[in-house]
């Protein structure tokens, strides 16, 4: 018989109260706003599709299951079916043709932009990811054609975002875990999940992975699924079905008794949770059990305590994942985490609380961000992250830190490598990160909170609470945070009336900062200390009271007697401190109590005070409104209103002093003493009216500016939201079906094998043709490969492969091969040596490290290039140079060789001897600078310049010059240009002959 009930919960993937999907709600919606579990809210979010859409995910073995499902699908179910299968991206799909043979329903292969209509079956085409948006199916070309792709998860997530509670998903036969993350999104949005019975599945990997989440409503054979789908949708989803009105189910007494059973069995009270959510989840269980009356379901709970556990898990259904809402986590990473690390001393721990942590992904995500920041700043801090939840089974899984490998869709490859350990088809969080997080069972609504927290991250939990319970929990968070501590909420949550107690760091990301100097006007809950998870969490002791000093007493007296009445207000105009008697100026309004100074001030002072506050805040200066009048009996009172910014060490918390300084009252009978132009009460009132009019104009101008600013922010926010809605999620996923990808994998492997064979043939031919000996060695200097040419130098044969190179007989007159090879391995510095054979042949031997494509050193490459001819030429050149040098040295004339810049390249021994110079002081110097510039002769300048310009020579040119060491001498100069390759003048040969005696 087909099973129609969900299996009992296990220890894996337990749902909880924490990460409920709220993507369909606006980002800034307050907690009491529309929720996917509310009928009206869901209808508003999904008005583009008023019928259910079923996403069917399958992989290997799924064809048989889909055929069985299609045969039983009714023609008038008012349901649309969208099939997502792992397909070979390089081959056309025949799935649509195969399914048409099994059903009378229209079967279509999806085209981009195709609108979904009920009673149709849609098949995903190959090489596409698919998403549902505004009732249409959009095809997206994947970035990775093979490998890391999860098309089922991709479509299921878009289905949850688009349809909320009208989304339904089915998991059929397949390998891997694709679809698991997507079904969690659908369940969190209020949708329904069906899974093929693993016993009937050809491959049970995907069904068992889905069942392990404990979020499956039905486990059935494929042929039984259509019947339950029709029953579920007609009772629960279709618009023509009459259901209990919003706000409660008919038999309220039965619902109250269900709450009693839940509290007695689980110790948790759900009566203060949002009633629409709770009643809808109870109704889901009734539909699954085919129960019409709440009293009958109450009787089932009384008879079957296991159903109470299942209902408890149902009420805690949530969606959690690593770095959920990446944009919000990016803001947390950039705006909050660096501040937590920087402002702590090395001996103070960073303290974080994650209430409603579910299976731990959010807590581990924050731990990873903190660890990355610590590594980036080269600091080390004690980090304590306290993660709590009322679901003890989820806490057990969170402690283990083991997750399916499809978390790669949410975690970057770099983080997977650094903070996770891969085991089979799972990832486990590293021990370093796990030890940072302390998990414990705790109910945030009644158990003792943690205090002195630097960050509290509670995302998508408040949306399940009633307004009264939300206020209580926010008060707890405010109590638990240190000054300037951060509060991180979900995208569909807000602070409501407590917004004035927090500074918005990024309102879109819902990141707030506790404001110092303000306290929520209610006492923090008095929790029993015995219920604390961490015994070290205690309130800080009060400082020891000190007797006031004389200076303090004097300052107090001066303030009391001479300072005018004033109040200290924050940026929201909330009064934080009173000084002096304020009865003449503050007049609390009737109604709800408020400390807003603008609301409390007298009506005559309200407009001048508002303008002054705005001027002081926007221009950061003292703002004064003088002579504000109002009549009290026969007196006309006058007061100066001054608003002064207060300098503070905390720039994020601006404070302002509002001073009321009253002038002497003016009696109506004293009009004779009034100044010119103010001769009577009428003139006084006229002047007061003019001031009030000016203040009103300024107030109106400031209001207009605020309105323009608000409109601009609204337009900007609207554009951002529109851009965000238009973006489609594109992810790279893995684990395609083994059977469906086998052809692709084999084709790729065959291509790689052919390429490798071709490369190997090319290498063999290259090694055989090149006239350079090559030997490849491993890190132990064992021979791995060699080419034929090297056998002329070293006696190698094929059987020598694998032997140490030092054991091979060499024909070289060189015994340091092994030593040099080990030196190159140790230093990675290439070495070149010239070696000779007994036959007189010379080779240039190079020893270089063998580097792989990953820059790993796995051995050495020895190359032997014959340089016998080069050595012979070098010997001839050396002999020629020696021959020329000997000739030069035997000539008695002084010879100098100059370069094109007239610098001395070399000189003969006769030159150094004649002019008492040495090579060290001559070579490299300009000819004119040699010997204390004794050759700086104008005639020589002209001769050499003409020589270079005209490319000529000169002979026996006599120059008479007085040398410091030789006296007056007559020199005969002869010079010739020596051309490089016959074109460019390269050197100048200058011969100097002393002809002094001959001339005399």
């Amino acid at each position: 018989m087909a099973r129609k009930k969900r299996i009992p919960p296990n220890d894996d993937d337990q749902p909880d109260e924490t990460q409920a999907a709220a993507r369909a709600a606006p980002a800034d919606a307050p907690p009491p706003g529309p929720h996917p579990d509310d009928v009206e809210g869901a209808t508003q979010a999904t008005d583009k599709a008023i019928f259910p859409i079923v996403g069917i995910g399958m992989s290997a073995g799924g064809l048989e299951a889909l055929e069985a499902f299609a045969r039983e699908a009714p023609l008038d179910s008012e349901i649309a079916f969208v099939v997502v299968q792992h397909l070979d991206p390089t081959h056309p799909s025949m799935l649509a043709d195969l399914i048409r043979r099994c059903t009378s329903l229209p079967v279509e292969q999806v085209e981009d932009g195709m609108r979904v209509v009920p009673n149709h079956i849609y098949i995903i085409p190959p090489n596409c990811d698919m998403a549902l948006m505004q009732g249409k199916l959009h095809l997206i070309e994947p970035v990775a054609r093979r490998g890391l792709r999860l098309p089922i998860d991709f479509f299921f997530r878009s289905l949850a975002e688009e349809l909320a509670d009208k989304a339904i998903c089915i998991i059929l036969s397949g390998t891997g875990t694709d679809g698991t993350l997507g079904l969690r999104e659908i369940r969190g949005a209020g949708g329904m999940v069906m899974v093929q019975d693993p016993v009937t599945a050809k491959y049970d990997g995907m069904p068992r992975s889905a069942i392990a989440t404990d979020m499956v409503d039905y486990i059935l054979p494929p042929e039984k699924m259509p019947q339950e789908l029709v029953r579920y949708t007609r009772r629960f989803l279709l618009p023509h079905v009459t259901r209990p009105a919003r706000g409660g189910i008919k038999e309220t007494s039965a619902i109250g008794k269900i709450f009693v059973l839940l509290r007695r069995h689980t110790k948790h009270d759900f009566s203060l949770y949002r009633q629409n959510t709770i009643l809808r989840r109870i109704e889901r269980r009734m539909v699954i059990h085919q129960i019409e009356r709440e009293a009958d379901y109450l009787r089932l709970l009384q008879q079957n305590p296991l159903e109470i556990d299942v209902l408890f898990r149902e009420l805690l259904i949530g969606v959690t994942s690593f770095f959920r809402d990446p944009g919000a986590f990016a803001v947390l990473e950039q705006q909050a985490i660096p501040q937590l690390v920087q402002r702590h001393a090395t001996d103070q721990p960073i303290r974080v609380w994650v209430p409603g942590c579910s299976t731990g992904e959010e807590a581990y995500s924050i731990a990873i961000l903190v660890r990355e920041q610590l590594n980036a700043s080269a600091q080390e801090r004690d980090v304590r992250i306290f993660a709590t939840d009322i679901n003890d089974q989820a806490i057990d899984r969170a402690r283990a830190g083991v997750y399916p490998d499809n978390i790669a869709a949410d975690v970057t490859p770099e983080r997977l490598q650094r903070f996770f350990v891969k085991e089979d088809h799972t990832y486990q969080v590293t021990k370093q990160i796990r030890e940072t997080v302390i998990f414990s069972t705790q109910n945030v609504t009644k158990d003792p909170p943690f205090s002195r927290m630097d960050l509290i991250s509670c995302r998508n939990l408040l949306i399940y609470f009633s307004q009264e319970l939300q206020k209580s929990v926010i008060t707890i968070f405010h109590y638990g945070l240190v000054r300037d501590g951060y509060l991180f909420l979900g995208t569909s949550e807000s602070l409501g009336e407590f917004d004035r107690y927090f500074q918005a760091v990024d309102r879109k990301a819902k990141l707030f900062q506790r404001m110092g100097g303000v306290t929520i006007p209610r006492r923090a809950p008095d929790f029993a200390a015995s219920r604390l998870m961490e015994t070290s969490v205690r309130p800080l002791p009060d400082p020891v009271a000190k007797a006031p000093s004389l200076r303090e007493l004097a300052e107090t007296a001066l303030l009391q007697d001479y300072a005018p009445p004033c109040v200290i207000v924050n940026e929201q105009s909330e009064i934080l401190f009173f000084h002096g008697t304020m009865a003449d100026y503050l007049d609390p309004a009737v109604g709800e109590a408020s400390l807003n100074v603008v609301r409390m001030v007298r009506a005559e002072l309200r407009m001048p005070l508002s303008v002054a506050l705005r001027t002081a805040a926007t221009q950061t200066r003292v703002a004064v409104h003088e002579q504000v009048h109002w009549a009290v009996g026969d007196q006309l009172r006058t007061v100066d209103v001054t608003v002064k910014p207060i300098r503070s060490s905390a720039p994020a918390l601006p404070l302002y002093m509002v001073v009321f300084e009253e002038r002497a009252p003016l009696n109506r009978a004293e009009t004779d003493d009034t100044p010119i132009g103010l001769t009577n009460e009428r003139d006084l009132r006229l002047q007061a009216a003019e001031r009030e009019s000016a203040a009103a104009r300024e107030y109106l101008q400031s209001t207009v500016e605020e309105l323009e600013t608000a409109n601009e922010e609204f337009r900007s926010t609207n554009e951002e939201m529109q851009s965000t809605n238009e973006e489609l999620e594109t992810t790279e996923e893995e684990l395609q079906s083994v059977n469906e990808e086998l052809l692709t994998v084999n084709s790729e492997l065959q291509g790689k094998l052919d390429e490798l064979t071709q490369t190997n043939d090319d290498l063999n031919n290259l090694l055989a043709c090149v006239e350079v000996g090559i030997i490849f060695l491993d890190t132990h200097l064992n021979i791995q490969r060699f080419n034929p040419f090297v056998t002329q130098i070293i006696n190698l044969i094929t059987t020598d492969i694998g032997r140490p190179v030092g054991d091979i007989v060499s024909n070289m007159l060189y015994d340091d091969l092994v030593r040099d090879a080990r030196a190159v391995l140790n230093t990675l510095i290439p070495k070149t040596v010239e070696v000779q054979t007994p036959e007189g042949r010379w080779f240039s031997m190079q020893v270089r490290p063998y580097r792989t494509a990953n820059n790993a050193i796995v051995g050495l490459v020895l190359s032997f290039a014959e340089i016998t001819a080069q050595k012979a030429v070098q010997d001839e050149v050396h002999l020629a140079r020696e021959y020329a040098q000997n000739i030069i040295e035997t000539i008695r004339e002084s010879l100098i060789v100059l370069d094109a810049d007239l610098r001395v390249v070399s000189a003969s021994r006769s030159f150094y001897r004649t002019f008492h110079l040495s090579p060290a002081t001559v070579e490299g110097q300009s000819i004119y600078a040699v010997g204390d510039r004794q050759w700086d002769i104008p005639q020589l300048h002209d001769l050499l310049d003409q020589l270079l310009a005209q490319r000529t020579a000169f002979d026996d040119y006599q120059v008479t010059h007085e040398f410091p060491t030789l006296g007056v001498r007559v020199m005969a100069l002869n010079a010739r240009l020596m051309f490089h390759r016959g074109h460019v003048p390269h050197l100048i040969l200058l011969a100097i002959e002393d002809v002094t005696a001959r001339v005399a």
Side-chain angles (χ1 to χ4, degrees):
M1 177 177 287
R3 291 181 289 171
K4 300 180 181 179
K5 298 181 181 179
R6 187 173 58 177
I7 62 172
N10 55 28
D11 291 338
D12 295 331
D13 257 332
Q14 292 301 319
D16 71 302
E17 63 183 352
T18 57
Q19 303 290 337
R23 297 187 177 182
D28 290 324
H35 184 272
D37 283 328
D38 300 336
V39 177
E40 289 86 345
T43 303
Q44 182 180 3
T46 60
D47 57 359
K48 308 173 192 65
I50 60 175
F51 53 89
I53 297 179
V54 178
I56 302 176
M58 64 183 195
S59 181
L63 177 59
E64 296 87 344
L66 183 61
E67 289 176 341
F69 178 92
R71 291 189 187 98
E72 303 298 327
L75 301 180
D76 57 349
S77 64
E78 301 182 56
I79 304 172
F81 305 93
V82 182
V83 179
V84 183
Q85 184 187 24
H86 291 176
L87 298 171
D88 189 333
T90 62
H91 291 273
S93 173
M94 298 183 293
L95 183 60
D97 296 332
L98 295 174
I99 299 304
R100 288 190 185 101
R101 303 173 185 175
C102 307
T103 180
S104 298
L105 288 172
V107 181
E108 302 181 48
Q109 183 165 290
V110 176
E111 296 179 358
D112 191 27
M114 178 178 287
R115 179 167 294 278
V116 181
V117 296
N119 302 317
H120 279 64
I121 298 178
Y122 299 92
I123 307 294
I124 187 174
N127 195 32
C128 287
D129 286 336
M130 184 168 60
L132 178 68
M133 179 173 286
Q134 298 185 2
K136 296 181 180 180
L137 294 172
H138 299 269
L139 301 180
I140 304 170
E141 184 177 356
V143 177
R145 294 181 177 272
R146 307 179 187 277
L148 295 176
R149 287 182 56 199
L150 296 172
I152 301 175
D153 277 332
F154 190 87
F155 179 72
F156 283 2
R157 283 179 168 178
S158 71
L159 191 64
E161 293 172 354
E162 178 78 1
L163 299 186
D165 65 337
K166 286 186 173 63
I168 300 174
C169 72
I170 297 177
I171 302 292
L172 299 179
S173 173
T175 60
T177 61
D178 193 8
T180 301
L181 295 180
L183 74 86
R184 292 171 67 94
E185 299 276 355
I186 288 177
R187 286 293 277 114
M192 190 266 281
V193 178
M194 275 188 177
V195 173
Q196 181 179 1
D197 189 340
V199 177
T200 66
K202 188 173 182 179
Y203 294 92
D204 61 0
M206 284 171 49
R208 291 193 181 279
S209 177
I211 293 171
T213 65
D214 196 36
M215 295 184 179
V216 177
D217 296 302
Y218 297 89
I219 303 175
L220 301 168
E223 61 271 13
K224 300 294 183 181
M225 291 180 176
Q227 177 183 355
E228 293 299 329
L229 272 176
V230 172
R231 180 182 291 113
Y232 176 85
T233 56
R234 290 185 176 176
R235 166 74 192 276
F236 206 61
L237 294 182
L238 294 177
H240 61 267
V241 177
T242 301
R243 297 193 298 275
R246 181 187 178 97
I249 299 179
K250 294 180 181 179
E251 300 184 30
T252 56
S253 60
I255 297 301
K257 293 175 183 179
I258 290 175
F259 287 152
V260 171
L261 286 179
L262 281 169
R263 184 174 63 182
R264 185 176 65 185
H265 187 78
T266 66
K267 310 303 180 187
H268 297 296
D269 185 4
F270 289 93
S271 61
L272 290 179
Y273 281 53
R274 297 183 75 243
Q275 292 301 297
N276 289 329
T277 300
I278 299 301
L279 298 181
R280 190 163 178 79
R281 298 296 170 93
I282 293 175
E283 187 179 1
R284 285 174 54 86
R285 296 304 305 165
M286 294 170 57
V287 172
I288 291 174
H289 287 285
Q290 302 180 26
I291 295 176
E292 297 290 338
R293 301 172 61 250
E294 291 76 30
D296 295 336
Y297 185 63
L298 174 63
R299 188 174 301 108
L300 173 65
L301 292 175
Q302 292 173 323
Q303 297 173 354
N304 185 5
L306 182 60
E307 177 61 22
I308 300 180
D309 290 328
V310 175
L311 177 61
F312 174 66
R313 309 298 176 195
E314 175 81 14
L315 298 179
L316 301 183
I317 287 294
V319 177
T320 179
S321 61
F322 284 95
F323 304 99
R324 182 171 176 82
D325 301 319
F329 267 92
V331 172
L332 179 70
E333 179 182 8
Q334 298 167 8
Q335 302 293 331
I337 301 299
Q339 302 299 327
L340 299 185
V341 173
Q342 293 173 7
R343 73 187 184 190
H344 273 274
T346 55
D347 58 343
Q348 293 181 346
I350 299 173
R351 297 166 61 82
V352 180
W353 180 20
V354 184
C357 67
S358 183
T359 47
E361 288 92 330
E362 180 182 341
Y364 285 132
S365 298
I366 295 176
I368 289 173
L369 293 181
V370 174
R371 174 49 52 189
E372 287 178 336
Q373 181 62 34
L374 289 173
N375 293 341
S377 58
Q379 301 184 51
E380 191 57 43
R381 297 284 190 278
D382 183 16
V383 181
R384 300 179 187 176
I385 300 178
F386 306 101
T388 61
D389 199 278
I390 64 175
N391 189 337
D392 52 353
Q393 294 182 358
I395 289 294
D396 291 339
R397 185 185 174 198
R399 286 197 187 102
V402 178
Y403 302 97
D405 55 1
N406 56 5
I407 65 171
D410 302 310
V411 185
T412 63
E414 294 78 9
R415 285 174 174 160
L416 282 176
Q417 184 176 5
R418 291 181 58 189
F419 302 112
F420 294 85
V421 178
K422 184 76 163 63
E423 296 180 2
D424 296 331
H425 294 288
T426 63
Y427 282 103
Q428 183 176 29
V429 181
T430 58
K431 183 178 180 181
Q432 180 189 28
I433 299 298
R434 292 204 313 273
E435 291 177 347
T436 303
V437 187
I438 303 171
F439 291 97
S440 179
T441 303
Q442 182 211 40
N443 190 333
V444 69
T445 64
K446 69 176 183 178
D447 289 338
F450 296 95
S451 62
R452 297 182 288 119
M453 291 292 119
D454 300 295
L455 168 65
I456 295 179
S457 177
C458 181
R459 313 193 70 238
N460 300 324
L461 173 60
L462 297 180
I463 57 176
Y464 285 109
F465 293 163
S466 64
Q467 292 187 8
E468 193 62 30
L469 192 56
Q470 289 176 21
K471 295 178 182 179
S472 175
V473 172
I474 292 176
T475 303
I476 292 172
F477 292 163
H478 190 273
Y479 163 79
L481 285 170
V482 299
R483 177 172 179 172
D484 298 330
Y486 293 92
L487 177 62
F488 191 32
L489 299 180
T491 54
S492 296
E493 298 169 335
S494 67
L495 296 171
E497 65 183 66
F498 299 110
D499 187 69
R500 61 183 180 272
Y501 298 102
F502 293 86
Q503 180 78 21
V505 178
D506 190 301
R507 194 168 295 275
K508 181 178 180 181
K510 299 305 171 69
L511 180 62
F512 305 92
Q513 193 170 17
R514 187 188 192 274
M515 294 169 51
V518 293
T519 304
I520 295 180
R522 60 181 292 186
R523 185 173 63 86
D526 184 15
F527 297 103
S530 60
R531 298 296 302 277
L532 286 175
M533 180 186 75
E534 190 207 16
T535 57
S536 62
V537 178
R538 300 183 179 91
L540 295 175
D542 294 332
V544 178
K546 296 181 180 179
S549 63
L550 291 177
R551 177 179 178 180
E552 292 173 344
L553 292 174
E555 290 177 349
T556 301
L558 290 171
L559 287 172
Q560 290 176 350
D561 296 336
Y562 297 101
C566 66
V567 293
I568 306 298
V569 300
N570 59 14
E571 192 176 18
Q572 287 77 33
S573 301
E574 298 288 340
I575 299 176
L576 307 179
F577 181 79
F578 293 92
H579 172 73
T581 302
M582 307 300 299
D584 293 338
Y585 312 108
L586 300 185
D587 184 16
V590 178
E592 185 178 354
S594 172
L595 287 177
N596 188 285
V597 68
V598 179
R599 297 179 183 175
M600 294 183 66
V601 77
R602 293 181 62 92
E604 296 87 348
L605 302 177
R606 186 166 297 137
M607 187 178 298
L609 177 59
S610 299
V611 174
L613 281 171
R614 174 171 175 79
T615 302
T618 57
Q619 302 181 16
T620 318
R621 65 175 179 86
V622 178
V624 181
H625 271 264
E626 298 179 341
Q627 300 184 20
V628 181
H629 303 285
W630 76 89
V632 180
D634 293 335
Q635 290 184 337
L636 195 63
R637 304 186 66 173
T638 304
V639 66
D640 294 342
V641 180
T642 304
V643 179
K644 178 181 180 181
I646 298 177
R647 295 183 179 179
S648 171
S649 59
L653 182 63
L655 300 177
Y656 305 92
M657 178 186 291
V658 181
V659 181
F660 302 97
E661 189 169 2
E662 187 166 359
R663 300 189 178 187
L666 185 64
N667 195 294
R668 296 172 185 261
E670 298 173 351
T671 57
D672 294 340
D673 298 331
T674 56
I676 298 176
L678 297 176
T679 58
N680 52 46
E681 180 181 349
R682 181 178 179 182
D683 292 334
L684 290 174
R685 292 184 179 276
L686 180 60
Q687 186 185 49
E690 290 176 351
R691 291 196 184 97
E692 291 178 0
S693 176
R697 287 195 299 271
E698 188 174 351
Y699 180 77
L700 179 60
Q701 179 63 30
S702 65
T703 304
V704 171
E705 293 175 357
E706 289 180 352
L707 180 60
E708 290 176 351
T709 302
N711 288 338
E712 185 64 30
E713 293 178 354
F714 176 77
R715 283 193 295 269
S716 176
T717 303
N718 189 41
E719 291 174 359
E720 291 179 2
M721 293 180 61
Q722 184 176 0
S723 175
T724 302
N725 290 334
E726 290 173 355
E727 292 178 358
L728 292 177
E729 212 177 79
T730 55
T731 58
E732 297 179 1
E733 315 270 0
E734 64 178 342
L735 291 179
Q736 288 200 22
S737 167
V738 175
N739 287 344
E740 294 157 357
E741 284 292 319
L742 186 58
L743 179 61
T744 301
V745 173
N746 286 341
S747 177
E748 288 184 357
L749 290 177
Q750 185 62 44
K752 291 293 183 182
L753 181 61
D754 295 341
E755 182 181 348
L756 181 61
T757 302
Q758 182 65 40
T759 303
N760 190 56
D761 292 341
D762 293 343
L763 180 60
N764 288 332
N765 281 276
L766 176 64
L767 293 177
C769 295
V770 69
E771 293 187 353
V772 176
I774 300 175
I775 303 177
F776 296 95
L777 306 179
D778 61 14
T779 54
H780 300 290
L781 304 186
N782 296 326
I783 298 172
Q784 299 297 302
R785 192 170 188 169
F786 59 88
N787 70 336
F789 186 85
V790 80
T791 57
Q792 302 178 27
I793 309 167
I794 300 178
N795 298 328
L796 291 173
I797 57 177
T798 305
T799 56
D800 289 331
I801 294 177
R803 295 179 57 191
V805 70
D807 294 349
I808 308 301
V809 177
S810 171
N811 294 328
M812 300 181 297
L813 302 177
Y814 174 67
D815 299 329
D816 297 329
L817 175 61
V818 175
R819 185 195 64 184
D820 290 344
R822 287 175 178 166
V824 173
L825 269 180
N826 294 333
T827 64
L828 303 183
I829 300 175
K831 187 178 184 63
T832 301
V833 180
E834 293 183 354
V835 297
Q836 187 179 24
T837 64
E839 295 81 10
R841 300 174 65 184
W842 284 89
F843 294 89
S844 175
M845 181 188 73
Q846 289 189 341
V847 184
R848 294 180 175 273
Y850 186 110
R851 297 179 183 271
T852 66
N854 297 326
N855 203 31
I857 305 300
V858 296
L860 298 172
V861 180
L862 277 61
S863 62
F864 299 86
E866 186 168 5
I867 57 172
T868 304
Q870 292 91 321
K871 289 292 290 185
V873 172
Q874 289 178 4
D875 291 343
E876 292 178 2
V877 172
H878 182 68
L879 291 174
R881 293 186 65 179
E882 288 185 351
Y883 178 74
Q885 188 67 29
N886 290 331
I887 292 175
I888 291 173
E889 295 300 335
T890 58
I891 296 175
R892 293 185 178 182
E893 293 182 0
S894 298
L895 298 178
I896 302 176
V897 178
L898 306 177
D899 61 14
D901 295 325
L902 301 183
R903 295 184 179 275
V904 179
V905 177
S906 62
S908 65
R909 190 181 304 171
S910 174
F911 175 81
Y912 294 126
R913 183 172 57 251
T914 302
F915 296 101
H916 306 288
L917 298 172
S918 64
T921 62
V922 173
E923 293 181 359
Q925 299 292 323
S926 172
I927 183 61
Y928 306 124
V930 170
D932 296 329
R933 306 193 67 81
Q934 61 184 347
W935 286 96
D936 192 6
I937 304 171
Q939 294 171 292
L940 183 59
H941 275 271
D942 296 338
L943 290 172
L944 294 178
D945 290 344
Q946 184 178 6
L947 178 70
L948 290 173
Q950 301 179 3
R951 297 193 178 188
T952 59
F954 57 83
D955 298 311
D956 292 329
Y957 190 90
Q958 292 187 1
V959 175
T960 302
H961 186 70
E962 183 177 356
F963 293 91
T965 57
L966 302 177
V968 178
R969 287 283 189 252
V970 180
M971 301 293 178
L973 304 180
N974 299 275
R976 293 289 187 276
L977 286 176
M978 295 184 291
F979 290 90
H980 177 65
R981 295 180 180 177
H983 299 286
V984 182
H986 183 56
L987 296 174
I988 301 173
L989 178 61
L990 178 63
I992 305 171
E993 181 182 0
D994 188 355
V995 297
T996 305
R998 186 195 316 165
V999 172

